[in-house]
Amino acid sequence: MLTDAKNKFQRGLVYLFALLASLGIAPFCVIRYLNGEIVKALVDLAIVVVALSSAAYTYWRGQATQSVSNITALLYSAGSVAVAHLNQPLLVFWLFPALLANFFLLTARTALIANLLTIAAVLPIAIKLENTTEAFAMMSSLLMCGSMAYVFALLTHRQQLLLQGYANQDALTQLGNRRAMDEEMRLSIADFARNQTPVTLIVLDLDFFKMVNDKFGHNIGDIVLVDLANLLSKRVRKTDRVFRFGGEEFVVIARNTPLADALVIAEQLRVQVETELHDPDGTLTASFGCAQLHPDETLEEWFVRADKAVYQAKQQGRNCVVAAD
């Protein structure tokens, strides 16, 4: 899943920043201490300790939490500002990696605000410079770095959303695909385990759809599938989720819905399909199977029961609704 990949990426960033802090800042702790610069050494040491602590906590949790990212971003920003003020104006350049790091650790908007505050915090250093050109160059370079990082973060976020859409969306019908359905089923199972919230799976399969493709071609078949997807999206409740499982098989996850209520929903959908869905020869129908989630049931077992109910509906003459055992 993309969510797993994203979390893995975030964990990698926390580990990377901890490594960079250890290699790039830890030596300064020793150098400054030996030079008698105790306060500066303590600032550097604090940055390293918090970076390593964030990495250790992330490793222990097995995931990168937003709180860890927030603390890490705050640490780097505050640390770079402190270093700049203690060594002004020579070490203002430490702000550049901090400005970039914020866009990796925070949302683009939050990082933009954090960076503006960080840059504002070193404005007194620029004001104290005797040469106006140097002061302007300092602030301008920081603003340019932050601006370019912001644009890059926005473009990256848009690309991420696009890729997520490709990964979780059926290209033809624009409904969620099997990957998205599995994730929603896992969430429903977890919700049932925590709160005993009933949830029912409604699986439907178009009757004799192969004949539509054989007789009129796949272009007409695709139009029928898109029409069915639109019908389902309009007719289900706002709390329900609709997916294309594959071929002519679709799935509705009816949240907070026991089996009896789901059978009513499925019957309404069956009538609407029969009434509103057509191919060039006329009316089309669908067979439905409903299965309410049972305690300690796996995702696969839950779906198999609903799919078997669809098969029973086919055996009973099609265009009907069957409840799973």
Side-chain angles (χ1 to χ4, degrees), residues 155-177:
L155 293 175
T156 301
H157 180 65
R158 291 175 183 174
Q159 291 295 322
Q160 185 183 49
L161 291 178
L162 187 62
L163 289 174
Q164 188 171 2
Y166 288 149
N168 295 324
Q169 191 176 68
D170 177 60
L172 175 64
T173 63
Q174 307 303 306
L175 295 177
N177 60 14

Side-chain angles (χ1 to χ4, degrees), residues 54 102 105 114 122 144 164 187 206 214 237 249 283 304 319:
S54 297
N102 283 342
L105 296 168
V122 297
M144 288 178 62
Q164 188 171 2
L187 293 175
L206 280 175
D214 292 343
R237 303 167 303 176
E249 193 167 23
T283 300
V304 166
N319 191 26

Side-chain angles (χ1 to χ4, degrees), residues 85-145:
H85 278 278
L86 290 171
N87 301 274
Q88 56 180 316
L90 178 62
L91 297 187
V92 171
F93 57 76
W94 277 110
L95 264 71
F96 290 102
L99 297 179
L100 296 176
N102 283 342
F103 283 107
F104 286 100
L105 296 168
L106 307 171
T107 63
R109 183 177 180 181
T110 305
L112 177 62
I113 295 173
N115 283 352
L116 289 175
L117 293 175
T118 301
I119 295 173
V122 297
L123 183 59
I125 298 177
I127 294 175
K128 291 179 182 179
L129 293 175
E130 296 180 358
N131 190 315
T132 304
T133 302
E134 292 179 356
F136 180 79
M138 175 190 294
M139 300 306 297
S140 179
S141 61
L142 290 172
L143 289 171
M144 288 178 62
C145 175

Side-chain angles (χ1 to χ4, degrees), residues 53-66:
S53 299
S54 297
Y57 180 75
T58 298
Y59 180 80
W60 176 69
R61 285 289 302 270
Q63 62 179 350
T65 63
Q66 189 58 53

Side-chain angles (χ1 to χ4, degrees), residues 5 14 24 70 73 90 110 131 145 148 155-156 185 260-261 273 291 307:
V14 174
N70 293 341
L90 178 62
T110 305
N131 190 315
C145 175
M148 288 187 289
L155 293 175
T156 301
M185 290 176 67
D261 294 340
V273 168
D307 203 41

Side-chain angles (χ1 to χ4, degrees), residues 15-305:
Y15 298 150
L16 174 62
F17 291 149
L19 177 63
L20 293 177
S22 300
L23 297 178
I25 300 177
F28 287 97
C29 300
V30 179
I31 295 173
R32 296 188 192 286
Y33 178 77
L34 294 176
N35 290 337
E37 300 173 319
I38 305 302
V39 174
K40 297 177 182 179
L42 290 175
V43 171
D44 292 336
L45 180 62
I47 295 175
V48 175
V49 169
V50 175
L52 292 176
S53 299
S54 297
Y57 180 75
T58 298
Y59 180 80
W60 176 69
R61 285 289 302 270
Q63 62 179 350
T65 63
Q66 189 58 53
S67 60
V68 168
S69 296
N70 293 341
I71 292 172
T72 305
L74 177 63
L75 162 74
Y76 291 148
S77 298
S80 63
V81 170
V83 169
H85 278 278
L86 290 171
N87 301 274
Q88 56 180 316
L90 178 62
L91 297 187
V92 171
F93 57 76
W94 277 110
L95 264 71
F96 290 102
L99 297 179
L100 296 176
N102 283 342
F103 283 107
F104 286 100
L105 296 168
L106 307 171
T107 63
R109 183 177 180 181
T110 305
L112 177 62
I113 295 173
N115 283 352
L116 289 175
L117 293 175
T118 301
I119 295 173
V122 297
L123 183 59
I125 298 177
I127 294 175
K128 291 179 182 179
L129 293 175
E130 296 180 358
N131 190 315
T132 304
T133 302
E134 292 179 356
F136 180 79
M138 175 190 294
M139 300 306 297
S140 179
S141 61
L142 290 172
L143 289 171
M144 288 178 62
C145 175
S147 299
M148 288 187 289
Y150 177 62
V151 172
F152 176 77
L154 285 180
L155 293 175
T156 301
H157 180 65
R158 291 175 183 174
Q159 291 295 322
Q160 185 183 49
L161 291 178
L162 187 62
L163 289 174
Q164 188 171 2
Y166 288 149
N168 295 324
Q169 191 176 68
D170 177 60
L172 175 64
T173 63
Q174 307 303 306
L175 295 177
N177 60 14
R178 183 172 179 177
R179 181 192 297 268
M181 184 195 77
D182 287 348
E183 179 64 21
E184 191 68 31
M185 290 176 67
R186 291 189 186 95
L187 293 175
S188 297
I189 292 173
D191 190 39
F192 179 75
R194 286 193 306 269
N195 306 314
Q196 299 301 304
T197 304
V199 56
T200 300
L201 207 62
I202 302 174
V203 179
L204 61 140
D205 190 279
L206 280 175
D207 298 327
F208 304 113
F209 181 71
K210 185 176 184 300
M211 295 176 58
V212 176
N213 283 329
D214 292 343
K215 189 172 183 178
F216 304 108
H218 287 278
N219 288 338
I220 298 298
D222 287 347
I223 293 174
V224 169
L225 293 175
V226 171
D227 289 343
L228 176 57
N230 292 335
L231 185 155
L232 293 173
S233 298
K234 292 177 182 178
R235 296 294 183 257
V236 297
R237 303 167 303 176
K238 291 182 179 180
T239 56
D240 298 333
R241 297 292 181 267
V242 185
F243 307 90
R244 183 189 179 195
F245 181 78
E248 66 271 26
E249 193 167 23
F250 292 76
V251 174
V252 177
I253 297 180
R255 293 175 164 182
N256 198 24
T257 306
L259 180 60
D261 294 340
L263 291 173
V264 174
I265 295 172
E267 178 60 24
Q268 292 172 345
L269 292 174
R270 185 197 66 77
V271 172
Q272 287 163 346
V273 168
E274 185 179 17
T275 303
E276 302 178 24
L277 193 66
H278 305 278
D279 67 7
D281 266 354
T283 300
L284 291 171
T285 62
S287 301
F288 290 74
C290 300
Q292 181 176 343
L293 179 64
H294 288 169
D296 300 321
E297 191 170 34
T298 67
L299 183 152
E300 292 77 14
E301 292 169 343
W302 185 20
F303 183 84
V304 166
R305 285 197 302 112

